[in-house]
């Protein structure tokens, strides 16, 4: 922190921390409630037998004897029926049926009512367990969300500072450019990069562009400052918020090549290219279960949720965990999708590779090629998952190549990674789109037949600004 800069404690940050604490408390309360049931209690079994007794035995001439002197044997017979149902289903086994017929004059009805009562109790247990499972899923979501906003609040608190001299210089400099600044807020990111937010408007009948303002801000800071991605192009007559960040050192370009199973137009693979705050970019691939329209909808859903959460500021791993919980909750069947994501830091060249059940990722450094594998499960299978991640530092001209399962599965078992490394190493293409198409063409040429699964190749090149 330079002289004249003072840390600024925001009351909004304090309030966010209170929200996070409340969410944590709710989450812990949910998790401490009733656990999933796997067996019936003795009281529940007693109630089942009483129901059967009321429906079948009350009018039987042997009721007093069965539920009196022979009470123990009657209960034992009931337990045997319930145990047989668990093992053999509604048909039971011959030995249990034979015993019941010997002991009960109303055996067929007794069996029918016992099975009905047990089936209803079992269904009730299943519904309760499903509610408990959904509640736990909500608790995990709340806990994850609380961690995310707490982390964001801490970063915000640490990054805001006040520099009155810088603010005065900024206001004076922009006034000369016919831009009136109402107020400014300065930030220093955890990576040590500057960021400034201002509320400003054009003066009188003048016309200013955001690019012009960026040049003035750069002159005051003594650093190359650029407007954030997605900001407007002009400064209007009404006050609006303008945000500028320290310009990145690197930029990326991407290319995609894909083909559906059997050369179909519909592919179950989906991808995204997304600008993130703080000079980061993200690319991701998702491979839906199976192929065709159903797989496409599943992978598109994952990508759309991922975009939504990342744009909202959630960390990539947190976003994946939240999507996983969302997909698992309330579903009768398992529908899984892989997630393969690369997040580029355009200030340092660092690339974080994050995988949930995805194929290998390849990194080309000059003439060398490295591949990174994953052992994690896809999302949508379990309530909590382990996400694999690794960080590599890239330099000018390096490439990251991501592929879906269909690409590697088209190559001989046990040699997939080596063959694809060789293909990548042998390409002379330096245009990401051309490289992606070249890799896919080489894999298809190797097999010599129509694709047995959806195939997608996503390449990202990184260069100095």
């Amino acid at each position: 922190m330079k002289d004249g800069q003072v840390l600024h404690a925001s009351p909004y940050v304090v309030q966010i921390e209170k929200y996070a604490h409340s969410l944590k408390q709710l989450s812990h309360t949910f998790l401490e409630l009733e656990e999933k049931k796997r067996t019936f209690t003795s009281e529940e079994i007693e109630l089942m037998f009483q129901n059967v007794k009321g429906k079948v035995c009350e009018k039987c001439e042997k009721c007093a004897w069965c539920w009196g002197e022979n009470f123990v044997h009657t209960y034992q017979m009931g337990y045997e029926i319930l145990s047989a149902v668990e093992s053999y289903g509604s048909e039971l086994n011959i030995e249990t049926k034979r015993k019941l017929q010997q002991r009960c004059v109303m055996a067929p009805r007794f069996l029918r009512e016992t099975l009905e009562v047990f089936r209803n109790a079992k269904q009730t247990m299943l519904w309760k367990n499903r509610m408990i499972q959904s509640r736990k899923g909500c608790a995990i979501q709340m806990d994850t969300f609380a961690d995310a906003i707490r982390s964001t609040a801490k970063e915000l608190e640490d990054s805001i500072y006040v520099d009155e001299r810088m603010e005065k210089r900024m206001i004076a400099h922009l006034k000369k450019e016919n831009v009136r600044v109402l107020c400014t807020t300065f930030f220093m990111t955890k990576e040590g990069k500057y960021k400034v937010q201002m509320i400003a408007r054009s003066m009188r009948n003048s016309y200013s562009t955001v690019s012009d303002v960026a040049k003035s801000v750069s002159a005051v800071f003594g650093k190359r400052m650029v407007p954030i991605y997605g900001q407007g192009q002009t400064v209007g007559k009404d006050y609006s918020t303008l945000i500028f960040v320290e310009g990145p050192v690197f930029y990326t370009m991407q290319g995609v090549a894909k083909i559906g199973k059997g050369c179909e137009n519909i592919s179950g693979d989906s991808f995204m290219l997304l600008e993130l705050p703080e000079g980061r970019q993200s690319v991701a691939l998702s491979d839906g279960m199976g192929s065709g329209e159903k797989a496409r909808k599943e992978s598109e859903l994952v990508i759309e949720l991922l975009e939504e959460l990342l744009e909202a500021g959630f960390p990539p791993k947190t976003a994946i965990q939240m999507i996983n919980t969302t997909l698992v909750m309330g579903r009768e069947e398992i529908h899984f999708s892989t997630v393969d994501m690369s997040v580029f830091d355009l200030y340092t060249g660092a690339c974080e590779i994050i995988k949930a059940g995805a194929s290998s990722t390849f990194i080309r450094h000059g003439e060398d090629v490295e591949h990174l594998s994953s052992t994690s499960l896809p999302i949508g299978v379990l309530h909590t998952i382990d996400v694999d991640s690794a960080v590599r530092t890239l330099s000018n001209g390096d490439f990251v190549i991501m592929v879906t399962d269909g690409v590697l599965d088209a190559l001989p078992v046990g040699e997939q990674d080596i063959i694809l490394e060789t293909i990548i190493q042998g390409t002379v293409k330096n245009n990401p789109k051309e490289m992606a198409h070249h890799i896919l063409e080489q894999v298809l040429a190797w097999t010599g037949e129509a694709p047995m699964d959806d195939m997608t190749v996503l390449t990202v090149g990184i260069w100095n600004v």
Side-chain angles (χ1 to χ4, degrees):
M1 200 67 68
K2 292 181 179 180
D3 293 339
Q5 295 177 357
V6 181
L7 286 175
H8 179 73
S10 169
Y12 301 110
V13 173
V14 175
Q15 187 60 50
I16 290 171
E17 173 59 33
K18 289 180 180 178
Y19 289 148
H21 179 73
S22 298
L23 285 171
K24 282 278 187 184
Q25 290 298 108
L26 278 173
S27 172
H28 293 159
T29 301
F30 274 18
L31 290 173
E32 288 170 2
L33 294 176
E34 182 184 6
E35 291 289 329
K36 285 179 69 174
K37 290 181 63 175
R38 305 193 184 280
T39 57
F40 293 109
T41 64
S42 56
E43 290 80 7
E44 288 170 329
I45 293 175
E46 166 78 22
L47 184 60
M48 287 186 219
F49 289 160
Q50 289 301 323
N51 285 338
V52 174
K53 179 183 175 183
K55 291 180 178 180
V56 180
C57 304
E58 291 291 354
K59 296 180 181 180
C60 178
E61 59 185 19
K62 289 194 172 185
C63 180
W65 184 80
C66 289
W67 295 95
E69 295 177 45
N70 203 37
F71 176 82
V72 174
H73 291 95
T74 302
Y75 257 65
Q76 183 181 0
M77 189 70 248
Y79 272 106
E80 285 186 26
I81 291 173
L82 297 184
S83 298
V85 171
E86 288 285 79
S87 301
Y88 300 99
S90 299
E91 293 302 316
L92 303 186
N93 60 335
I94 296 174
E95 181 62 22
T96 303
K97 285 184 178 180
R98 185 183 63 79
K99 282 185 181 181
L100 180 61
Q101 288 168 351
Q102 288 177 345
R103 296 183 184 181
C104 180
V105 297
M106 301 183 71
R109 190 178 173 196
F110 185 89
L111 177 59
R112 186 170 63 252
E113 291 296 341
T114 301
L115 291 175
E116 182 64 24
V117 167
F118 179 75
R119 192 179 296 112
N120 290 339
K122 193 79 172 177
Q123 188 63 44
T124 301
M125 179 192 285
L126 288 172
W127 278 111
K128 283 184 176 179
N129 283 343
R130 190 169 296 165
M131 290 172 64
I132 292 168
Q133 188 176 4
S134 295
R135 189 187 66 227
K136 284 191 173 182
C138 289
I140 293 169
Q141 291 281 44
M142 281 193 291
D143 195 66
T144 304
F145 182 57
D147 286 337
I149 64 174
R150 178 173 281 172
S151 174
T152 301
K154 183 67 170 64
E155 287 182 15
L156 181 62
E157 185 177 37
D158 292 343
S159 67
I160 300 175
Y161 68 91
V162 175
D163 189 333
E164 292 181 357
R165 286 182 296 180
M166 178 73 79
E167 184 174 24
K168 288 178 181 178
R169 287 174 56 200
M170 188 84 66
I171 291 172
H173 195 100
L174 286 170
K175 189 175 182 181
K176 294 177 183 178
E177 303 296 327
N178 292 317
V179 174
R180 184 180 297 280
V181 177
L182 185 63
C183 63
T184 60
T185 305
F186 298 103
F187 303 86
M188 174 74 77
T189 69
K190 61 182 179 180
E191 293 82 14
K193 304 300 178 184
Y194 285 98
K195 178 179 177 181
V196 60
Q197 176 177 304
M198 64 178 68
I199 298 176
R201 67 175 176 84
S202 292
M203 296 168 61
R204 305 185 191 91
N205 296 320
S206 62
Y207 171 83
S208 298
T209 67
V210 173
S211 297
D212 292 335
V213 176
K215 291 175 184 177
S216 297
V217 173
S218 299
V220 174
F221 268 95
K223 295 177 178 291
R224 187 172 70 92
M225 304 292 288
V226 298
I228 63 167
Y229 179 78
Q231 196 159 243
Q233 300 297 312
T234 60
V235 182
K237 302 300 180 185
D238 297 323
Y239 282 110
S240 61
T241 300
L242 305 176
I243 302 174
F244 303 92
V245 295
E246 195 171 332
V249 177
F250 297 94
Y251 72 97
T252 66
M253 291 179 65
Q254 304 83 22
V256 180
K258 60 191 303 185
I259 189 170
K261 178 181 178 181
C263 298
E264 292 289 332
N265 291 327
I266 297 176
S267 170
D269 302 337
S270 298
F271 65 92
M272 74 167 193
L273 314 167
L274 188 65
E275 296 281 344
L276 298 176
E278 313 302 341
R280 295 177 303 141
Q281 287 181 341
S282 174
V283 296
L285 265 179
S286 180
D287 183 356
M289 182 176 70
S291 61
E293 183 64 21
K294 190 174 181 181
R296 182 189 65 80
K297 286 183 178 179
E298 196 72 16
S299 64
E300 274 190 357
L301 173 63
V302 170
I303 290 297
E304 286 170 4
L305 289 172
L306 197 55
E307 286 183 342
E308 195 73 33
L309 291 171
L310 291 177
E311 286 183 333
F314 286 95
K317 290 181 186 177
T318 301
I320 292 172
Q321 291 284 5
M322 293 180 73
I323 294 169
N324 176 70
T325 306
T326 301
L327 295 181
V328 172
M329 282 173 56
R331 282 191 166 187
E332 298 268 347
E333 302 175 2
I334 292 176
H335 297 277
F336 63 79
S337 295
T338 65
V339 175
D340 196 357
M341 190 188 323
S342 296
V343 181
F344 299 86
D345 186 326
L346 301 182
Y347 290 112
T348 65
C351 176
E352 184 179 15
I353 295 161
I354 304 167
K355 291 180 173 293
S359 293
S360 298
T361 292
F362 299 81
I363 301 176
R364 193 181 83 171
H365 313 269
E367 295 182 357
D368 298 324
V369 178
E370 175 190 9
H371 80 266
L372 293 88
S373 301
S374 169
T375 57
S376 59
L377 289 172
I379 62 173
V381 181
L382 302 174
H383 268 289
T384 54
I385 59 169
D386 294 321
V387 179
D388 292 331
S389 70
V391 177
R392 295 291 185 271
T393 300
L394 307 178
S395 55
N396 186 54
D398 285 350
F399 277 86
V400 173
I401 298 98
M402 301 158 64
V403 299
T404 52
D405 288 341
V407 176
L408 288 175
D409 290 346
L411 301 171
V413 176
E415 301 178 43
Q416 293 103 323
D417 289 336
I418 297 298
I419 293 173
L420 203 52
E421 278 185 24
T422 304
I423 291 172
I424 294 168
Q425 202 167 27
T427 181
V428 294
K429 307 289 185 182
N430 283 314
N431 177 290
K433 185 175 181 180
E434 291 178 0
M435 179 184 285
H437 281 275
H438 175 78
I439 292 169
L440 184 58
E441 287 166 4
Q442 289 295 304
V443 172
L444 290 171
W446 186 283
T447 63
E449 55 188 32
M452 301 297 289
D453 193 6
D454 302 320
M455 302 168 71
T456 302
V457 179
L458 173 56
T459 62
V460 183
I462 186 167
W463 292 273
N464 292 330
V465 172

